[in-house]
Amino acid sequence: MESRLKVLGHPVHPMLVMFPVALLVTAVLFDVVDTLGGPDFLGEVAYWNITVGLAVGLLAAAAGTFDLLAIPTGTRAKRVALTHAAANVAMILLFAAVWAVRLNADSRAAGGALIAIEIVALAILGVSAWLGGELVDRLGVGVDRDADLDAPSSLRPATSAQRIGEVR
């Protein structure tokens, strides 16, 4: 199933998901190091990583929604996609709760309870990332219908002869 939202022939959702994943994982690492006695600025950096991670995560969710809505009902892909989406919503809500607590706090440092919530959110993120991989790698969601080892550049569409395998 080909992605519905593309830029220069490539699906937008996978382009965006790497940013919140990297930012949120790094935020948790910075919070853990800060709590264990690392430099004081790491709690502040972690807070801003969460802020940007949430913002880009919402953009990634919007892009993913285009593909989710295009998946036919009653398929395994739809069930996996809905679980993937639900896990992402849960993870975003947990990080948003951590962000809200830290928003007006005297210190942007996380501390034990907030780090525990972040670790639960990261575990959910890990499951969701695996489900996203299952959708793309196993179920072909978001993959161009003309994809093969000799497909032409995504910047120029394949000819109808190439699509049916007559010309290579």
Side-chain angles (χ1 to χ4, degrees), residues 52-113:
V52 177
L54 287 171
V56 181
L58 293 174
L59 290 174
T65 301
F66 280 90
D67 290 338
L68 172 65
L69 294 175
I71 299 172
T73 304
T75 62
R76 178 169 177 264
K78 187 68 154 199
R79 291 188 302 275
V80 172
L82 288 170
T83 305
H84 172 69
N88 283 331
V89 168
M91 179 269 305
I92 289 288
L93 289 174
L94 288 172
F95 272 110
V98 169
W99 178 84
V101 169
R102 294 167 80 169
L103 177 63
N104 293 315
D106 292 336
S107 167
R108 296 283 169 88

Side-chain angles (χ1 to χ4, degrees), residues 3-127:
S3 180
R4 299 291 191 234
L5 185 61
K6 293 183 172 189
V7 171
L8 296 176
H10 293 279
V12 173
H13 182 63
M15 286 188 231
L16 293 175
V17 296
M18 70 179 118
F19 294 105
V21 169
L23 288 163
L24 296 173
V25 169
T26 304
V28 176
L29 291 174
F30 285 174
D31 278 338
V32 168
V33 171
D34 179 49
T35 301
L36 295 175
D40 291 339
F41 70 89
L42 287 181
E44 183 77 23
V45 173
Y47 168 81
W48 287 107
N49 276 11
I50 291 171
T51 303
V52 177
L54 287 171
V56 181
L58 293 174
L59 290 174
T65 301
F66 280 90
D67 290 338
L68 172 65
L69 294 175
I71 299 172
T73 304
T75 62
R76 178 169 177 264
K78 187 68 154 199
R79 291 188 302 275
V80 172
L82 288 170
T83 305
H84 172 69
N88 283 331
V89 168
M91 179 269 305
I92 289 288
L93 289 174
L94 288 172
F95 272 110
V98 169
W99 178 84
V101 169
R102 294 167 80 169
L103 177 63
N104 293 315
D106 292 336
S107 167
R108 296 283 169 88
L114 293 179
I115 291 175
I117 293 169
E118 290 176 353
I119 290 171
V120 169
L122 277 190
I124 294 169
L125 176 59
V127 170

Side-chain angles (χ1 to χ4, degrees), residues 146-157:
D146 296 325
D148 67 41
L149 296 177
D150 291 315
S153 167
S154 58
L155 295 176
R156 60 186 174 93

